[in-house]
Structures are given as structure tokens and as C-alpha cells.
Amino acid sequence: MAPKKPLCLPFLLLPLLTLLLPQADARSFVVDRDHNRFLLDGAPFRYVSGSLHYFRVPRVLWADRLLKMRMSGLNVVQFYVPWNYHEPEPGVYNFNGSRDLFAFLKEATLANLLVILRPGPYICAEWEMGGLPAWLLRKPKIHLRTSDPDFLAAVDSWFKVLLPRIYPWLYHNGGNIISIQVENEYGSYRACDVSYMRHLAGLFRALLGDRILLFTTDGPEGLKCGSLQGLYTTVDFGPADNMTKIFGLLRKYEPRGPLVNSEYYTGWLDYWGQNHSTRSIPAVTKGLEKMLKLGASVNMYMFHGGTNFGYWNGADEKGRFLPITTSYDYDAPISEAGDPTPKLFAIRNVISKFQEVPLGPLPPPSPKMTLGPLNLHLDGNLLDFLDFLCPQGPIHSVLPVTFEAVNQVHGYMLYRTYLPHTVSEPTQLWVPNNGVHDRAYVMVDGVFQGVLERNMKHNLFLMGKIGATLDVLLENMGRLSFGSNSSDFKGLLQPPILGQTILTQWLMFPLKVDNLVKGWFPIQPLKHSHPQTPSGPTFYSTTFPILNSGGDTFLFLPGWTKGQVWINGFNLGRYWTKRGPQQTLYVPRPLLFPRGAHNRITLLELENVPPQPQIQFLDRPILNSTKHRTYVYSLSSASEPMELSGH
């Protein structure tokens, strides 16, 4: 009998390969409508997710925040992609540094978190113009978030850049993105353009394929216009809402499949001039536990809010213009400074009842630092630096034009004209049709006269000789991110009127303040017109060392009015001490040079400087100290009810 031939190695490995190969192809995230659940790689799966925005957190801190989310029991992180953060000019793309969202995806992978991506094109997020780039408004008649060919052409161009870069990160391709949202709360936008939503859905499918789960998110009142056949319908609501009623309504649009709350509100946003928003721990945890008992998947918005650095805050329009604060703390489970809060531990306890929470303690709060008070010195009035702020010189126009018309996206623009006749009696300066967008600081021959503000009644009276210089510094306080169906142009939208005289022949100076702050020293102003008590737009600065390793800190500006702050050239954001509620600005430790190196802080105070121009660094934030609440006067005869913002 002939001996049996030994089995060759490939033959022995074949059963093993047969087992492995299907698993390699089996990476999938799908809806199991028969059992009202998700399946991840064929197994039942429920996500407990939290929102974190990479664009509100310094890149060096991404890993810390994501680790804390994972250690809290979350298995997914949800985030937006703000178009205007990545395409500052048409065809110019930036995915570097803090804009490297692919590095963020990698950090999420390292933290063992899956991803729900919300690329827009519109995101709201209380972000400048809801994430849409302001350069879209260079076509003044454009209809945003509709099937307007001009808008669709820009959207298509952007997504043909973004989505192919996202494609390798899809879960079935070996990445961590399990689902992608199409648009954002479109049902809250009065256009209700179904053709637009169909166009987007088709574009996403063409660029991402058929295997990725695409979904929509709307508040209960927006499901009718926001949902679309072929996209999985989800809803958003907070602890105070009627969960049973809202999920019942959702079932009319998505009869089978898992219940999903894509935005369960752990807190709320803040507006300048209103109280700091909070959500109680019992309310948040009770609603979360009830949803998890129902088997629902949930994303908590926000789990870590972060900060609207620079000029990136958005605004709402709820009867009047409501710009959003620099802090996006949101009363979230992880504070603005990245610290675990009692709300986090309570949420973690609820999650542990339904799924495994990683073992081990959460990282402790970061070290905090106090410093000061520090005295600031006067560098000069803004007008003294005009040649450096606008080196290309002014633009001339008979009537004033908008920021968008001269490609000024953020910040400030100076409008200048000359009095056409002598004004010997106090005469009102006003702008018809609510034409100040958003806040104007008025000067005559360099002397500060007062403020005009969008949607506010300000009686501003001027005097001056013929030929006197009238300067109007316009501040963009953030374009509307929610609550409007119209484009939010910035600047003087109407020519100012002095008494009965329409003022014409304007010079417009688009100001590059950030460029000046980063590189002006040892530049000195060309003229020295420093009054005894400076007022109006004025620069102050100082340098200071930190004698140890330092820590996170909070800049406190007692007695200052309103303005912008830079630390070591980084635009920390807006302060509005006089209006509140936010009284401190979060300063992450990585922004500061430790151990004796000189740090520079620069303030642009827009109105009035305190008698002692001092600042302090505190070891805790002050976010709820609203002052002078009586300033608000709506132009409308009756105040409109305050509706909740979307996200």
C-alpha cells in the first residue's frame, strides 16, 4: 500500500483562510429593520456617542479629550466638518495643523472610538455662518441651502475634494466612520427644497458608494421637510422634551429600525447678554437612562464643547440678533478646560448599567494657574495704525459696501467719510433699515462718540466742522448660524444719515488686525494722539513670564468693556465684560511659554478702558455673570418668543 502523501501547507491553511477572508469582508454597519437595531459586523450594536468638535479644541489636546470620552463609556464620537474652516477661498483648501480632520480621525481610532461624521455642507453648530464659507455671498443673490445652481456648483466642488478623502475612513473600508449625515436639520430651514436634498443624497452616494449608512437629523417639527426616502431618519431632543411623543412621531417617518436621538442636549449654548445656560444632572441622566432602556442609540450634544476661538462664533436671530459667546462650555460633561465634571460621572454610571465601561479612573483635572494682576500699557489708538492694518490702502465708493464685496471675511472694517457741512448742534447719526451689521464704533476726528448696534435703539448725536473725519469701525460679530432664511451680509448695508443728510463718498479700509498683532512690534504708530483717558478702539499690551511649568488658566478682564484678545499671536476670541455672561476666556496651557520665557498679551478694546488697565489669570472660569441686562431693546414692537436653536 502506497504511503499517503503529506498534506501540503497551503492545503492545511485553506480552511483557516476560508474563515478569515469572509471576516475581512464582513466589516459592516447596517440597519436591522426586522429587529429594530443596528448590526456591527453582523452583531447587535447600540451606540452611546458624544459630540466633540476638533475645530474648537487645540490639536495638541485632541487625544486627551477623546480618551476621556472613551473612559466615560462612550463607543462613538460624533463631529461636524465646517466647510469654511477648510476652504477659506474658492479652490484653496487647508487640512493642516488644527484643520487636519484626518489626524483627528486617527486619534479617535487610537481612543477606540467609532465615528459619526456630519459634513454638512451646512452644520449650524453655533459656528460662523453655520459652516458655509462667506465667499458664497460674493454672489449677493445666491440662495443658500437650495438647488440654486450657484450654490450647488460650490457644494459639488467642495464635496468632490472632501468626500474622496473621507472614503478610505469608512468602516467597511477599514476605517472608523460608521455613518454620515446629509445636510443638517434641514427641516428647520424654511426653503424646504426637496430637489436640493435629493441632489445631496445622490452626490454622497456617487462619491461614497452604497454601503455607508447615510442619515438625516431634525427636531420633531422638522422631520417633514428634513427627512428623505433612502436616508435613515433620526431625531434630536433634550431632557425636557416628551420622549414618548417624539419617538412616536419618528416612527411615522422610520417605522422600522433602531430609535436614534442624534442630539441629546447635555447643556445649551450661551448668548452675550443672557444668563449662562445649564441642564441639571438628574434631568440629563434620567432622560438618558430612559432612552437606553428603550434600546435607542443616542449621541450626547455636547460631550465636550470647547471654545469659539478667533472670530468663529455664530449667531442666532430670534426677534433680534443674538451673537454667541466665545466659550462653548455648554455645561457639558467635560468642561471647556477638558476637566471631568459631576455630570460626567453621573452619565458614566448610567452607561455602565447597559454596556461595559473601560476599567480605570478618568484622568484628573489639568493643573490650573493664577497670575497677576498685570498692568497693560497703551500701544495706540487703532486709527494710529491704519497704514499697517490696511497696507494696500482704502477702497473708494460713493455708497458704503459690505465686507463680502471687498473680500473681508472676519473681524473689522473701517468706513471713513468727511462731514459735508458744519454740524453745530447735536445731530443724530442713524442707519436706516437696520443697516448696521453688526456693531459700529463711531469717531469724529479720532474722538470716540458712541456705538450703533444691529437691532438696537441707540441715540447717537454728533457735532463737527465741515471736513471733519467721520470714522465708523464695523465689527462682524458672527454670521447667522441658525434662525434665518436670508444671507447675513456684514458692514454698513445702508448709507448712514446725519440728521437728514445721506452721507456719501466713503473710504473703506479692510483691516488685517491679526497680521498686525502677530508682527507689529517694534512698530510704533506714526502719530501719537493718546488722550488722557483713552476711549474708542485702542490697543493695549504687556509681556509676562511664567516662572514654573504653568497650567491651564482663565483670563479675567475686570472693568474692560468689549474687544478681542491675542496671546502670543493666537486669537483667543472676543470678550464682552460689560455685557456678560462670560467674564473669563479659557487659555489652554499649550498657548503659553513656560519657565521664564516672555508671553505677550494684546487687547483691542473697542469702547472704554478701565481706570486701571489690568488683567488677571484665574484658576477657574466665570461664565455666569450677566451685567446691565436693561440694555436690550428690540426694534420690533413686541418681543418674539425665544425658540431653541438647532445644531
Side-chain angles (χ1 to χ4, degrees):
M1 180 175 172
K4 292 183 179 179
K5 292 182 179 180
L7 294 173
C8 65
L9 185 61
F11 185 80
L12 289 171
L13 290 176
L14 188 59
L16 180 62
L17 291 172
T18 305
L19 290 172
L20 289 176
L21 286 174
Q23 290 181 9
D25 290 336
R27 282 179 64 94
S28 62
F29 180 74
V30 298
V31 173
D32 177 6
R33 285 189 162 81
D34 291 336
H35 300 94
N36 296 329
R37 64 189 181 183
F38 290 119
L39 298 176
L40 184 73
D41 299 340
F45 179 79
R46 181 248 296 284
Y47 64 76
V48 182
S49 168
S51 289
L52 180 157
H53 300 152
Y54 64 94
F55 43 91
R56 284 187 162 114
V57 179
R59 177 171 175 165
V60 69
L61 299 174
W62 289 348
D64 171 79
R65 306 310 194 248
L66 289 165
L67 173 63
K68 288 168 181 170
M69 293 176 73
R70 181 69 189 108
M71 294 300 293
S72 302
L74 306 186
N75 52 14
V76 175
V77 59
Q78 183 202 83
F79 65 91
Y80 287 119
V81 179
W83 179 6
N84 54 9
Y85 199 56
H86 295 285
E87 191 177 4
E89 289 289 328
V92 177
Y93 304 102
N94 188 347
F95 293 100
N96 300 318
S98 62
R99 290 168 168 79
D100 189 347
L101 71 95
F102 310 103
F104 186 77
L105 285 166
K106 184 176 181 180
E107 291 288 0
T109 300
L110 294 174
N112 196 25
L113 288 167
L114 297 170
V115 169
I116 296 171
L117 192 70
R118 309 174 80 182
Y122 164 84
I123 64 170
C124 184
E126 287 76 62
W127 189 253
E128 153 77 13
M129 202 166 152
L132 301 178
W135 50 257
L136 291 169
L137 302 182
R138 293 174 194 170
K139 295 184 176 180
K141 294 184 180 180
I142 195 168
H143 293 283
L144 304 174
R145 303 176 71 193
T146 70
S147 48
D148 178 339
D150 285 336
F151 184 66
L152 289 186
V155 169
D156 289 356
S157 177
W158 161 237
F159 278 139
K160 286 174 183 177
V161 170
L162 176 67
L163 296 185
R165 298 189 187 199
I166 293 297
Y167 184 77
W169 290 92
L170 302 183
Y171 185 76
H172 59 267
N173 291 331
N176 54 358
I177 299 174
I178 57 173
S179 62
I180 294 181
Q181 180 180 314
V182 178
E183 241 276 351
N184 183 62
E185 293 185 325
Y186 191 65
S188 298
Y189 195 63
R190 292 187 293 273
C192 199
D193 187 338
V194 178
S195 297
Y196 164 63
M197 285 294 290
R198 287 175 179 157
H199 177 91
L200 285 183
L203 181 65
F204 278 52
R205 283 288 175 224
L207 295 173
L208 297 175
D210 293 331
R211 293 183 64 184
I212 186 68
L213 177 65
L214 301 180
F215 71 98
T216 60
T217 301
D218 285 280
E221 73 290 340
L223 288 169
K224 182 178 181 180
C225 281
S227 59
L228 187 71
Q229 189 72 30
L231 306 179
Y232 196 73
T233 305
T234 74
V235 72
D236 52 49
F237 58 85
D241 296 309
N242 187 326
M243 182 184 306
T244 303
K245 181 179 179 181
I246 292 172
F247 275 149
L249 180 62
L250 176 62
R251 279 294 181 221
K252 295 181 180 179
Y253 295 88
E254 203 63 75
R256 304 293 299 171
L259 296 169
V260 178
N261 183 346
S262 287
E263 291 185 5
Y264 179 62
Y265 303 118
T266 62
W268 202 249
L269 60 138
D270 287 346
Y271 302 111
W272 291 114
Q274 298 189 10
N275 289 324
H276 175 55
S277 298
T278 60
R279 292 287 187 273
S280 75
I281 293 173
V284 171
T285 54
K286 181 181 177 182
L288 176 63
E289 184 162 0
K290 186 176 179 181
M291 275 188 289
L292 296 182
K293 283 180 178 177
L294 289 174
S297 284
V298 59
N299 172 73
M300 284 169 273
Y301 191 105
M302 297 291 297
F303 208 82
H304 171 54
T307 308
N308 293 313
F309 294 115
Y311 310 108
W312 286 112
N313 68 277
D316 280 353
E317 190 172 52
K318 306 291 176 60
R320 62 178 181 275
F321 179 71
L322 294 169
I324 289 150
T325 58
T326 301
S327 172
Y328 201 64
D329 176 84
Y330 214 83
D331 195 35
I334 299 175
S335 74
E336 184 177 11
D339 295 332
T341 67
K343 186 176 287 184
L344 183 148
F345 291 105
I347 287 172
R348 188 187 195 205
N349 183 56
V350 170
I351 295 172
S352 70
K353 298 177 184 179
F354 297 90
Q355 59 192 41
E356 188 175 339
V357 171
L359 296 175
L362 278 154
S366 62
K368 302 297 189 296
M369 179 188 75
T370 61
L371 186 67
L374 304 175
N375 293 311
L376 271 63
H377 62 77
L378 174 65
D379 290 310
N381 295 329
L382 177 139
L383 298 178
D384 296 341
F385 294 97
L386 202 52
D387 290 340
F388 301 107
L389 288 163
C390 186
Q392 75 275 19
I395 299 160
H396 178 266
S397 176
V398 175
L399 299 177
V401 299
T402 64
F403 278 46
E404 294 76 18
V406 297
N407 298 345
Q408 178 78 350
V409 177
H410 302 297
Y412 308 89
M413 186 154 74
L414 185 76
Y415 293 78
R416 172 173 285 177
T417 190
Y418 302 94
L419 296 187
H421 53 79
T422 297
V423 182
S424 55
E425 298 291 335
T427 302
Q428 186 172 13
L429 178 72
W430 58 290
V431 181
N433 300 320
N434 196 27
V436 173
H437 282 202
D438 301 305
R439 193 168 168 87
Y441 308 90
V442 180
M443 294 153 278
V444 175
D445 282 339
V447 178
F448 183 55
Q449 305 293 311
V451 173
L452 296 173
E453 187 174 356
R454 179 173 177 170
N455 292 129
M456 300 294 172
K457 295 177 180 178
H458 290 276
N459 293 319
L460 182 59
F461 293 87
L462 306 182
M463 295 173 62
K465 294 182 179 180
I466 185 172
T469 303
L470 174 64
D471 286 316
V472 184
L473 179 69
L474 257 291
E475 179 185 11
N476 168 4
M477 285 288 294
R479 289 182 181 83
L480 292 172
S481 50
F482 186 85
S484 174
N485 222 45
S486 58
S487 300
D488 189 16
F489 297 96
K490 297 302 184 183
L492 288 175
L493 275 55
Q494 298 284 332
I497 299 174
L498 185 59
Q500 299 298 319
T501 303
I502 298 175
L503 299 176
T504 59
Q505 304 302 330
W506 290 88
L507 298 173
M508 282 146 296
F509 299 80
L511 304 183
K512 306 301 180 186
V513 183
D514 291 76
N515 292 349
L516 180 65
V517 170
K518 288 176 183 177
W520 72 354
F521 294 100
I523 293 171
Q524 295 299 316
L526 297 179
K527 57 183 179 178
H528 299 272
S529 56
H530 302 166
Q532 292 289 329
T533 305
S535 62
T538 313
F539 286 105
Y540 276 77
S541 67
T542 193
T543 59
F544 60 94
I546 297 170
L547 300 179
N548 52 34
S549 59
D552 287 346
T553 188
F554 302 90
L555 175 63
F556 182 42
L557 300 137
W560 297 80
T561 307
K562 185 184 191 304
Q564 204 88 19
V565 185
W566 294 260
I567 289 185
N568 295 326
F570 180 85
N571 193 330
L572 205 60
R574 311 175 199 268
Y575 67 89
W576 205 342
T577 309
K578 187 173 182 179
R579 189 164 289 189
Q582 182 179 354
Q583 299 292 308
T584 57
L585 296 177
Y586 171 53
V587 183
R589 179 166 66 170
L591 293 181
L592 299 170
F593 305 137
R595 302 192 185 281
H598 281 280
N599 295 273
R600 175 173 293 278
I601 183 166
T602 304
L603 265 66
L604 172 58
E605 169 58 55
L606 296 166
E607 296 184 44
N608 295 298
V609 177
Q612 289 186 309
Q614 294 182 331
I615 60 167
Q616 290 178 263
F617 291 98
L618 309 180
D619 59 3
R620 63 193 62 193
I622 305 173
L623 297 177
N624 195 21
S625 181
T626 302
K627 301 181 179 182
H628 307 290
R629 293 295 303 278
T630 55
Y631 80 94
V632 178
Y633 297 97
S634 175
L635 288 178
S636 58
S637 56
S639 180
E640 297 184 17
M642 292 293 293
E643 300 174 0
L644 296 183
S645 169
H647 298 281

